[in-house]
Amino acid sequence: MNAVFELTATSRKMVAPFLEKYTLEQLNEIPKGFSNNLIWNIAHIVVTQQLLVYKLSGLPMQVSDEMVEKYKKGTKPEHTVTAEEVAEIKALLFSTVEQMKNDYENNVFEKYTEYPTSTGFILHNVEEAMTFNAFHEGLHLGIMMSIRKFL
């Protein structure tokens, strides 16, 4: 699992500069032809990791229910994200990955509710969820790389 943790950390290290390089206005901008923006994608990967790994394991998530409702699968940007929200998302970007690794090493994940992803891949356990999450984050990183060309 070390490779999965390293891959997820690497993904987040590639995402983090978007929060530094782009203005609040640019983070919130939805370019023509896209259904979301940079900040939605970043918050979405944080929320999705929490849902796939923690919620389906029956454990408390490190994100608020409000954040889940704004950024879970099937949502789209419906408000302008504030600087305070960006700071919260930025803090969660790495803390959630570290917590996941620590919790896994401490055998916190004891059960898992099977989940069929929208890609058709069925997650049977937390290891599969963590692996799938890395794939999912890669997809959204690609979307973000496309969005930035239009800002």
Side-chain angles (χ1 to χ4, degrees):
M1 288 301 295
N2 281 338
V4 172
F5 297 132
E6 287 180 35
L7 180 59
T8 305
T10 299
S11 168
R12 302 283 176 106
K13 286 175 189 168
M14 293 179 75
V15 167
F18 284 90
L19 295 170
E20 302 298 328
K21 184 176 180 182
Y22 295 93
T23 66
L24 190 57
E25 183 179 315
Q26 289 173 314
L27 289 171
N28 278 290
E29 183 179 339
I30 303 172
K32 186 176 179 181
F34 290 87
S35 58
N36 51 49
N37 53 32
L38 291 175
I39 195 63
W40 182 91
N41 277 278
I42 297 168
H44 174 72
I45 66 170
V46 171
V47 164
T48 299
Q49 180 255 357
Q50 290 291 295
L51 290 168
L52 292 176
V53 176
Y54 284 88
K55 184 163 184 147
L56 291 170
S57 293
L59 297 170
M61 295 186 293
Q62 299 157 53
V63 297
S64 68
D65 291 341
E66 178 186 8
M67 191 172 185
V68 170
E69 287 307 308
K70 287 180 184 177
Y71 301 108
K72 67 184 179 182
K73 178 174 69 173
T75 63
K76 61 183 180 183
E78 305 224 354
H79 75 290
T80 299
V81 176
T82 65
E84 292 78 20
E85 289 173 291
V86 171
E88 177 186 12
I89 293 163
K90 184 178 180 179
L92 288 165
L93 198 59
F94 293 104
S95 67
T96 51
V97 176
E98 271 305 308
Q99 189 65 52
M100 176 179 69
K101 182 179 182 211
N102 291 337
D103 287 344
Y104 186 77
E105 289 170 351
N106 290 308
N107 299 311
V108 170
F109 302 103
E110 296 178 358
K111 62 180 183 169
Y112 195 81
T113 302
E114 190 174 278
Y115 178 75
T117 69
S118 56
T119 64
F121 186 80
I122 298 173
L123 305 176
H124 301 95
N125 54 54
V126 75
E127 291 84 3
E128 290 177 3
M130 291 175 186
T131 302
F132 179 82
N133 182 69
F135 162 76
H136 175 262
E137 291 194 14
L139 292 175
H140 284 277
L141 179 57
I143 292 166
M144 292 170 60
M145 292 172 138
S146 293
I147 288 174
R148 73 179 179 188
K149 293 177 183 177
F150 296 93
L151 298 179

Coordinates of all heavy atoms in Angstrom, one line a residue, residues 9-85:
A9 N -0.1 11.1 -2.4 CA 0.6 12.3 -2.0 C 1.2 13.1 -3.2 O 1.1 14.3 -3.2 CB 1.7 11.9 -1.0
T10 N 1.7 12.3 -4.2 CA 2.2 12.9 -5.4 C 1.1 13.7 -6.1 O 1.3 14.8 -6.6 CB 2.9 11.9 -6.3 OG1 4.0 11.3 -5.6 CG2 3.4 12.5 -7.6
S11 N 0.0 13.1 -6.3 CA -1.2 13.7 -6.9 C -1.5 15.0 -6.2 O -1.7 16.0 -6.9 CB -2.4 12.7 -6.9 OG -3.6 13.4 -7.2
R12 N -1.6 15.0 -4.9 CA -1.9 16.2 -4.2 C -0.8 17.3 -4.3 O -1.1 18.4 -4.3 CB -2.2 15.8 -2.7 CG -3.3 14.8 -2.4 CD -4.6 15.4 -2.6 NE -5.7 14.4 -2.4 CZ -6.5 14.3 -1.4 NH1 -6.3 15.1 -0.3 NH2 -7.4 13.4 -1.3
K13 N 0.4 16.8 -4.4 CA 1.5 17.8 -4.6 C 1.4 18.5 -6.0 O 1.8 19.6 -6.2 CB 2.9 17.1 -4.5 CG 3.3 16.8 -3.1 CD 4.6 16.0 -3.0 CE 4.8 15.5 -1.6 NZ 5.9 14.5 -1.5
M14 N 0.8 17.8 -6.9 CA 0.6 18.3 -8.3 C -0.6 19.3 -8.3 O -0.6 20.2 -9.1 CB 0.5 17.2 -9.3 CG 1.7 16.4 -9.5 SD 1.5 15.1 -10.7 CE 1.5 16.1 -12.2
V15 N -1.5 19.0 -7.4 CA -2.7 19.8 -7.3 C -2.5 21.1 -6.5 O -3.0 22.2 -6.9 CB -3.9 19.0 -6.7 CG1 -5.1 19.9 -6.3 CG2 -4.4 17.9 -7.6
A16 N -1.7 21.0 -5.5 CA -1.5 22.2 -4.6 C -1.1 23.5 -5.3 O -1.5 24.5 -4.9 CB -0.5 21.8 -3.5
P17 N -0.2 23.4 -6.2 CA 0.2 24.7 -6.9 C -0.9 25.4 -7.5 O -0.8 26.7 -7.7 CB 1.3 24.2 -7.9 CG 1.8 22.9 -7.4 CD 0.7 22.3 -6.7
F18 N -2.0 24.8 -7.9 CA -3.1 25.5 -8.5 C -3.7 26.5 -7.5 O -4.1 27.5 -7.8 CB -4.2 24.5 -8.9 CG -3.9 23.7 -10.1 CD1 -3.3 22.5 -10.1 CD2 -4.4 24.2 -11.4 CE1 -3.0 21.8 -11.3 CE2 -4.1 23.5 -12.5 CZ -3.5 22.3 -12.5
L19 N -3.6 26.1 -6.2 CA -4.1 27.0 -5.1 C -3.2 28.2 -4.9 O -3.7 29.2 -4.4 CB -4.3 26.2 -3.8 CG -5.3 25.1 -3.9 CD1 -5.2 24.3 -2.6 CD2 -6.7 25.7 -4.0
E20 N -2.0 28.1 -5.3 CA -1.0 29.2 -5.2 C -0.9 30.1 -6.4 O -0.8 31.3 -6.3 CB 0.4 28.7 -4.8 CG 0.5 27.8 -3.6 CD 0.1 28.5 -2.3 OE1 0.4 29.7 -2.2 OE2 -0.5 27.9 -1.4
K21 N -1.0 29.4 -7.5 CA -0.7 30.1 -8.8 C -1.9 30.9 -9.3 O -1.7 31.9 -10.0 CB -0.3 29.1 -9.9 CG 0.1 29.7 -11.2 CD 0.6 28.6 -12.2 CE 0.9 29.3 -13.5 NZ 1.4 28.3 -14.5
Y22 N -3.1 30.5 -9.0 CA -4.3 31.1 -9.6 C -5.0 32.0 -8.5 O -5.0 31.6 -7.4 CB -5.2 30.1 -10.2 CG -4.6 29.4 -11.3 CD1 -3.9 28.2 -11.2 CD2 -4.7 29.9 -12.6 CE1 -3.3 27.6 -12.3 CE2 -4.0 29.3 -13.7 CZ -3.3 28.2 -13.5 OH -2.7 27.6 -14.6
T23 N -5.6 33.1 -9.0 CA -6.3 34.0 -8.1 C -7.6 33.3 -7.7 O -8.1 32.3 -8.3 CB -6.6 35.3 -8.8 OG1 -7.5 35.0 -9.9 CG2 -5.4 36.0 -9.3
L24 N -8.3 33.9 -6.7 CA -9.6 33.4 -6.3 C -10.6 33.5 -7.4 O -11.3 32.5 -7.6 CB -10.0 34.3 -5.1 CG -11.3 33.8 -4.3 CD1 -11.0 32.3 -3.8 CD2 -11.6 34.7 -3.2
E25 N -10.5 34.5 -8.2 CA -11.4 34.7 -9.3 C -11.1 33.5 -10.4 O -12.1 32.9 -10.9 CB -11.2 36.0 -10.0 CG -12.1 36.3 -11.2 CD -11.9 37.7 -11.8 OE1 -11.8 38.6 -11.0 OE2 -11.8 37.7 -13.0
Q26 N -9.9 33.3 -10.6 CA -9.5 32.2 -11.6 C -9.9 30.8 -11.0 O -10.4 30.0 -11.8 CB -8.0 32.2 -11.9 CG -7.6 33.4 -12.7 CD -6.1 33.5 -12.9 OE1 -5.4 33.3 -11.9 NE2 -5.6 33.7 -14.1
L27 N -9.7 30.6 -9.8 CA -10.1 29.3 -9.2 C -11.6 29.1 -9.3 O -12.1 27.9 -9.5 CB -9.7 29.2 -7.7 CG -8.3 29.1 -7.4 CD1 -8.0 29.3 -5.9 CD2 -7.7 27.8 -7.8
N28 N -12.4 30.1 -9.3 CA -13.9 30.1 -9.3 C -14.4 30.1 -10.8 O -15.6 29.8 -11.0 CB -14.5 31.2 -8.5 CG -14.6 30.9 -7.1 OD1 -15.3 30.0 -6.6 ND2 -13.8 31.6 -6.3
E29 N -13.6 30.5 -11.7 CA -14.1 30.6 -13.1 C -14.3 29.3 -13.8 O -13.5 28.4 -13.7 CB -13.0 31.4 -13.9 CG -13.4 31.7 -15.4 CD -12.4 32.4 -16.2 OE1 -11.5 33.1 -15.6 OE2 -12.5 32.3 -17.4
I30 N -15.5 29.2 -14.4 CA -15.8 28.0 -15.2 C -15.7 28.4 -16.7 O -16.5 29.1 -17.2 CB -17.3 27.5 -14.9 CG1 -17.5 27.3 -13.4 CG2 -17.6 26.3 -15.7 CD1 -18.9 27.0 -13.0
P31 N -14.6 27.9 -17.3 CA -14.4 28.2 -18.7 C -15.5 27.6 -19.6 O -16.1 26.6 -19.3 CB -13.1 27.5 -19.0 CG -12.4 27.3 -17.7 CD -13.5 27.0 -16.8
K32 N -15.7 28.3 -20.7 CA -16.7 27.8 -21.7 C -16.4 26.4 -22.1 O -15.3 26.0 -22.3 CB -16.7 28.7 -22.9 CG -17.8 28.4 -23.9 CD -17.8 29.4 -25.0 CE -19.0 29.0 -26.0 NZ -19.0 29.9 -27.1
G33 N -17.4 25.5 -22.1 CA -17.3 24.1 -22.4 C -17.0 23.2 -21.3 O -17.0 22.0 -21.4
F34 N -16.8 23.8 -20.1 CA -16.6 23.0 -18.9 C -17.8 23.1 -17.9 O -18.5 24.1 -18.0 CB -15.3 23.5 -18.1 CG -14.1 23.1 -18.9 CD1 -13.5 24.0 -19.8 CD2 -13.4 21.9 -18.6 CE1 -12.4 23.7 -20.5 CE2 -12.2 21.6 -19.3 CZ -11.7 22.5 -20.3
S35 N -18.0 22.1 -17.1 CA -19.1 22.2 -16.1 C -18.7 22.5 -14.7 O -19.5 22.6 -13.8 CB -19.9 20.8 -16.2 OG -19.0 19.8 -15.8
N36 N -17.4 22.7 -14.5 CA -16.9 23.0 -13.2 C -15.6 23.8 -13.3 O -15.2 24.2 -14.4 CB -16.7 21.7 -12.3 CG -15.9 20.7 -13.0 OD1 -14.8 21.0 -13.6 ND2 -16.4 19.5 -13.1
N37 N -15.0 24.1 -12.2 CA -13.8 25.0 -12.1 C -12.7 24.3 -11.3 O -12.8 23.2 -10.9 CB -14.2 26.3 -11.5 CG -14.9 26.2 -10.2 OD1 -14.6 25.3 -9.4 ND2 -15.8 27.1 -9.9
L38 N -11.6 25.0 -11.2 CA -10.4 24.4 -10.5 C -10.7 24.1 -9.1 O -10.4 23.0 -8.6 CB -9.2 25.4 -10.6 CG -8.6 25.6 -12.0 CD1 -7.5 26.7 -11.9 CD2 -8.0 24.3 -12.5
I39 N -11.3 25.0 -8.4 CA -11.5 24.8 -6.9 C -12.5 23.7 -6.7 O -12.4 22.9 -5.7 CB -11.9 26.1 -6.2 CG1 -11.7 26.0 -4.7 CG2 -13.2 26.6 -6.6 CD1 -10.3 25.7 -4.2
W40 N -13.6 23.6 -7.5 CA -14.5 22.5 -7.4 C -13.8 21.1 -7.5 O -14.0 20.2 -6.7 CB -15.7 22.6 -8.4 CG -16.7 21.5 -8.2 CD1 -17.8 21.5 -7.4 CD2 -16.6 20.1 -8.7 NE1 -18.4 20.3 -7.4 CE2 -17.7 19.4 -8.2 CE3 -15.7 19.5 -9.6 CZ2 -18.0 18.1 -8.6 CZ3 -16.0 18.2 -9.9 CH2 -17.1 17.5 -9.4
N41 N -12.9 21.0 -8.5 CA -12.2 19.8 -8.7 C -11.3 19.4 -7.5 O -11.2 18.3 -7.1 CB -11.3 19.9 -10.0 CG -12.1 19.5 -11.2 OD1 -12.3 18.4 -11.6 ND2 -12.6 20.6 -11.9
I42 N -10.6 20.4 -7.0 CA -9.7 20.2 -5.8 C -10.6 19.8 -4.6 O -10.2 18.8 -4.0 CB -8.9 21.5 -5.5 CG1 -8.0 21.8 -6.7 CG2 -8.1 21.3 -4.2 CD1 -7.3 23.2 -6.6
A43 N -11.6 20.5 -4.3 CA -12.5 20.1 -3.2 C -13.1 18.7 -3.4 O -13.3 17.9 -2.5 CB -13.5 21.1 -2.9
H44 N -13.5 18.4 -4.7 CA -14.1 17.2 -5.0 C -13.2 16.0 -4.7 O -13.6 15.0 -4.2 CB -14.5 17.2 -6.5 CG -15.1 15.9 -7.0 ND1 -16.3 15.4 -6.6 CD2 -14.5 15.0 -7.8 CE1 -16.5 14.2 -7.2 NE2 -15.4 14.0 -8.0
I45 N -11.9 16.1 -5.0 CA -11.0 15.0 -4.8 C -10.8 14.8 -3.3 O -10.7 13.6 -2.8 CB -9.6 15.1 -5.5 CG1 -8.8 16.3 -5.0 CG2 -9.8 15.2 -7.0 CD1 -7.4 16.3 -5.5
V46 N -10.9 15.8 -2.5 CA -10.8 15.7 -1.0 C -12.0 15.0 -0.5 O -11.9 14.0 0.3 CB -10.6 17.1 -0.4 CG1 -10.7 17.0 1.2 CG2 -9.2 17.7 -0.7
V47 N -13.2 15.5 -0.9 CA -14.4 14.9 -0.5 C -14.6 13.4 -0.9 O -15.0 12.6 -0.1 CB -15.6 15.7 -1.0 CG1 -17.0 15.0 -0.9 CG2 -15.7 17.0 -0.2
T48 N -14.3 13.1 -2.2 CA -14.4 11.8 -2.7 C -13.5 10.8 -1.9 O -14.0 9.7 -1.6 CB -14.1 11.7 -4.2 OG1 -15.0 12.6 -4.9 CG2 -14.2 10.3 -4.7
Q49 N -12.3 11.2 -1.6 CA -11.4 10.3 -0.9 C -12.0 10.0 0.5 O -12.0 8.9 1.0 CB -10.0 11.0 -0.7 CG -9.0 10.2 0.1 CD -8.8 10.7 1.5 OE1 -9.3 11.7 1.9 NE2 -8.0 10.0 2.2
Q50 N -12.6 11.0 1.1 CA -13.2 10.8 2.4 C -14.4 9.9 2.3 O -14.6 9.0 3.2 CB -13.6 12.2 3.0 CG -12.4 13.0 3.4 CD -11.7 12.4 4.6 OE1 -12.3 12.3 5.7 NE2 -10.5 12.0 4.4
L51 N -15.2 10.1 1.3 CA -16.4 9.2 1.1 C -16.0 7.8 0.8 O -16.5 6.8 1.5 CB -17.3 9.7 0.0 CG -18.0 11.0 0.3 CD1 -18.6 11.6 -1.0 CD2 -19.1 10.8 1.3
L52 N -15.1 7.6 -0.1 CA -14.7 6.2 -0.5 C -14.0 5.5 0.6 O -14.2 4.3 0.8 CB -13.8 6.3 -1.8 CG -14.4 6.7 -3.1 CD1 -13.4 6.8 -4.2 CD2 -15.6 5.8 -3.5
V53 N -13.1 6.2 1.3 CA -12.2 5.5 2.3 C -12.9 5.5 3.7 O -12.9 4.4 4.3 CB -10.8 6.2 2.3 CG1 -10.0 5.5 3.4 CG2 -10.2 6.0 1.0
Y54 N -13.4 6.6 4.1 CA -13.9 6.6 5.5 C -15.4 6.3 5.6 O -15.8 5.5 6.4 CB -13.6 8.0 6.1 CG -12.1 8.1 6.5 CD1 -11.2 8.6 5.6 CD2 -11.7 7.7 7.8 CE1 -9.9 8.6 5.9 CE2 -10.4 7.8 8.1 CZ -9.4 8.2 7.2 OH -8.1 8.3 7.5
K55 N -16.2 7.0 4.9 CA -17.7 6.8 5.0 C -18.0 5.3 4.7 O -18.8 4.7 5.5 CB -18.5 7.7 4.1 CG -20.0 7.5 4.4 CD -20.8 8.7 3.8 CE -22.2 8.4 4.2 NZ -22.9 9.6 4.4
L56 N -17.5 4.8 3.6 CA -17.8 3.4 3.3 C -17.1 2.4 4.2 O -17.5 1.2 4.2 CB -17.4 3.1 1.8 CG -18.3 3.8 0.8 CD1 -17.7 3.6 -0.6 CD2 -19.7 3.3 0.9
S57 N -16.2 2.8 5.1 CA -15.7 2.0 6.2 C -16.4 2.2 7.5 O -16.0 1.6 8.5 CB -14.2 2.4 6.4 OG -13.4 2.0 5.2
G58 N -17.4 3.1 7.4 CA -18.2 3.3 8.6 C -17.5 4.2 9.7 O -17.8 4.1 10.9
L59 N -16.6 5.0 9.2 CA -15.8 5.8 10.1 C -16.1 7.3 9.9 O -16.5 7.7 8.8 CB -14.3 5.6 9.8 CG -13.8 4.2 10.1 CD1 -12.4 4.0 9.6 CD2 -13.8 3.9 11.6
P60 N -15.8 8.1 10.9 CA -16.1 9.6 10.7 C -15.2 10.2 9.7 O -14.0 9.8 9.6 CB -15.7 10.2 12.1 CG -15.6 9.0 13.0 CD -15.4 7.8 12.2
M61 N -15.7 11.1 8.9 CA -14.9 11.8 7.9 C -14.3 13.0 8.5 O -14.8 13.6 9.5 CB -15.8 12.1 6.7 CG -16.4 10.9 6.0 SD -17.3 11.4 4.5 CE -18.7 12.2 5.2
Q62 N -13.2 13.5 7.8 CA -12.5 14.7 8.3 C -13.0 15.9 7.6 O -12.4 17.0 7.7 CB -11.0 14.5 8.0 CG -10.5 13.3 8.8 CD -9.2 12.8 8.1 OE1 -8.3 13.6 7.9 NE2 -9.2 11.5 7.8
V63 N -14.1 15.8 6.8 CA -14.7 16.9 6.1 C -16.2 17.1 6.6 O -16.8 16.1 7.1 CB -14.7 16.8 4.6 CG1 -13.3 16.7 4.0 CG2 -15.5 15.5 4.2
S64 N -16.7 18.3 6.6 CA -18.0 18.5 7.1 C -19.1 18.0 6.1 O -18.8 17.8 4.9 CB -18.2 20.1 7.2 OG -18.2 20.7 5.9
D65 N -20.3 17.8 6.6 CA -21.4 17.3 5.8 C -21.7 18.4 4.7 O -22.1 18.1 3.6 CB -22.6 17.1 6.6 CG -22.5 15.8 7.5 OD1 -21.6 15.0 7.2 OD2 -23.3 15.7 8.5
E66 N -21.5 19.7 5.1 CA -21.8 20.8 4.2 C -20.8 20.7 3.0 O -21.2 20.9 1.8 CB -21.6 22.1 4.9 CG -21.8 23.3 4.0 CD -21.5 24.6 4.7 OE1 -21.0 24.6 5.8 OE2 -21.7 25.7 4.1
M67 N -19.5 20.4 3.3 CA -18.6 20.3 2.2 C -18.9 19.1 1.3 O -18.8 19.2 0.1 CB -17.2 20.1 2.8 CG -16.0 20.2 1.8 SD -14.4 20.3 2.7 CE -13.4 20.6 1.3
V68 N -19.3 18.0 1.9 CA -19.7 16.8 1.1 C -20.8 17.2 0.2 O -20.8 16.9 -1.0 CB -20.1 15.6 2.0 CG1 -20.7 14.5 1.2 CG2 -18.9 15.1 2.8
E69 N -21.8 17.9 0.7 CA -23.0 18.3 -0.1 C -22.6 19.2 -1.3 O -23.2 19.1 -2.4 CB -24.1 18.9 0.7 CG -24.8 17.9 1.6 CD -25.4 16.7 0.9 OE1 -26.1 16.9 -0.1 OE2 -25.1 15.6 1.3
K70 N -21.6 20.0 -1.1 CA -21.2 20.9 -2.2 C -20.3 20.3 -3.2 O -20.3 20.7 -4.4 CB -20.3 22.1 -1.6 CG -21.1 23.1 -0.8 CD -20.2 24.1 -0.3 CE -20.9 25.2 0.6 NZ -19.9 26.1 1.1
Y71 N -19.5 19.2 -2.9 CA -18.5 18.7 -3.8 C -18.6 17.2 -4.1 O -17.7 16.7 -4.8 CB -17.1 19.0 -3.2 CG -16.9 20.5 -3.0 CD1 -16.9 21.1 -1.7 CD2 -16.8 21.4 -4.1 CE1 -16.7 22.4 -1.6 CE2 -16.6 22.7 -3.9 CZ -16.6 23.3 -2.7 OH -16.4 24.6 -2.5
K72 N -19.6 16.5 -3.6 CA -19.7 15.1 -3.9 C -20.1 14.9 -5.4 O -20.4 15.8 -6.1 CB -20.8 14.4 -3.0 CG -22.2 14.9 -3.3 CD -23.2 14.3 -2.3 CE -24.6 14.8 -2.6 NZ -25.6 14.2 -1.7
K73 N -20.0 13.6 -5.8 CA -20.3 13.3 -7.2 C -21.7 13.8 -7.5 O -22.6 13.7 -6.7 CB -20.2 11.7 -7.3 CG -20.6 11.2 -8.7 CD -20.4 9.7 -8.9 CE -21.4 9.0 -8.0 NZ -21.3 7.5 -8.3
G74 N -21.8 14.3 -8.7 CA -23.1 14.8 -9.2 C -23.4 16.3 -8.9 O -24.4 16.8 -9.3
T75 N -22.5 16.9 -8.2 CA -22.6 18.3 -7.9 C -21.9 19.2 -8.9 O -21.1 18.6 -9.7 CB -22.1 18.7 -6.5 OG1 -20.7 18.5 -6.4 CG2 -22.9 17.9 -5.4
K76 N -22.1 20.4 -8.9 CA -21.4 21.4 -9.7 C -21.2 22.7 -8.9 O -21.9 22.9 -7.9 CB -22.1 21.6 -11.0 CG -23.5 22.2 -10.9 CD -24.2 22.4 -12.2 CE -25.6 23.0 -11.9 NZ -26.4 23.1 -13.1
P77 N -20.3 23.5 -9.3 CA -20.2 24.8 -8.6 C -21.5 25.6 -8.6 O -22.0 25.9 -9.6 CB -19.1 25.5 -9.4 CG -18.4 24.5 -10.1 CD -19.4 23.4 -10.4
E78 N -22.0 25.9 -7.4 CA -23.2 26.7 -7.3 C -23.0 28.0 -6.5 O -23.9 28.7 -6.2 CB -24.3 25.8 -6.6 CG -24.5 24.5 -7.4 CD -25.9 24.2 -7.6 OE1 -26.8 24.8 -7.1 OE2 -26.1 23.2 -8.3
H79 N -21.8 28.2 -6.0 CA -21.5 29.4 -5.3 C -20.0 29.8 -5.5 O -19.2 29.0 -6.0 CB -21.7 29.2 -3.8 CG -20.6 28.4 -3.1 ND1 -20.5 27.0 -3.3 CD2 -19.7 28.8 -2.2 CE1 -19.4 26.6 -2.6 NE2 -18.9 27.6 -1.9
T80 N -19.7 31.0 -5.2 CA -18.3 31.5 -5.4 C -17.6 31.1 -4.1 O -18.0 31.5 -3.0 CB -18.3 33.0 -5.6 OG1 -19.0 33.3 -6.8 CG2 -16.9 33.5 -5.7
V81 N -16.5 30.4 -4.2 CA -15.8 29.9 -3.1 C -15.0 31.1 -2.6 O -14.3 31.8 -3.3 CB -14.8 28.7 -3.5 CG1 -13.9 28.3 -2.4 CG2 -15.7 27.6 -4.0
T82 N -15.0 31.3 -1.2 CA -14.3 32.4 -0.6 C -12.8 32.0 -0.3 O -12.4 30.8 -0.3 CB -15.0 32.7 0.7 OG1 -14.8 31.6 1.6 CG2 -16.4 33.1 0.5
A83 N -12.0 33.0 0.1 CA -10.6 32.8 0.5 C -10.6 31.8 1.7 O -9.7 31.0 1.8 CB -10.0 34.1 0.7
E84 N -11.5 32.0 2.6 CA -11.6 31.1 3.8 C -11.8 29.7 3.4 O -11.2 28.8 4.0 CB -12.6 31.6 4.8 CG -12.3 33.0 5.4 CD -12.6 34.2 4.5 OE1 -13.4 34.0 3.5 OE2 -12.0 35.2 4.8
E85 N -12.7 29.5 2.5 CA -13.0 28.1 2.0 C -11.8 27.5 1.3 O -11.4 26.3 1.5 CB -14.2 28.1 1.1 CG -15.5 28.3 1.8 CD -16.6 28.5 0.8 OE1 -16.7 29.5 0.1 OE2 -17.5 27.5 0.8

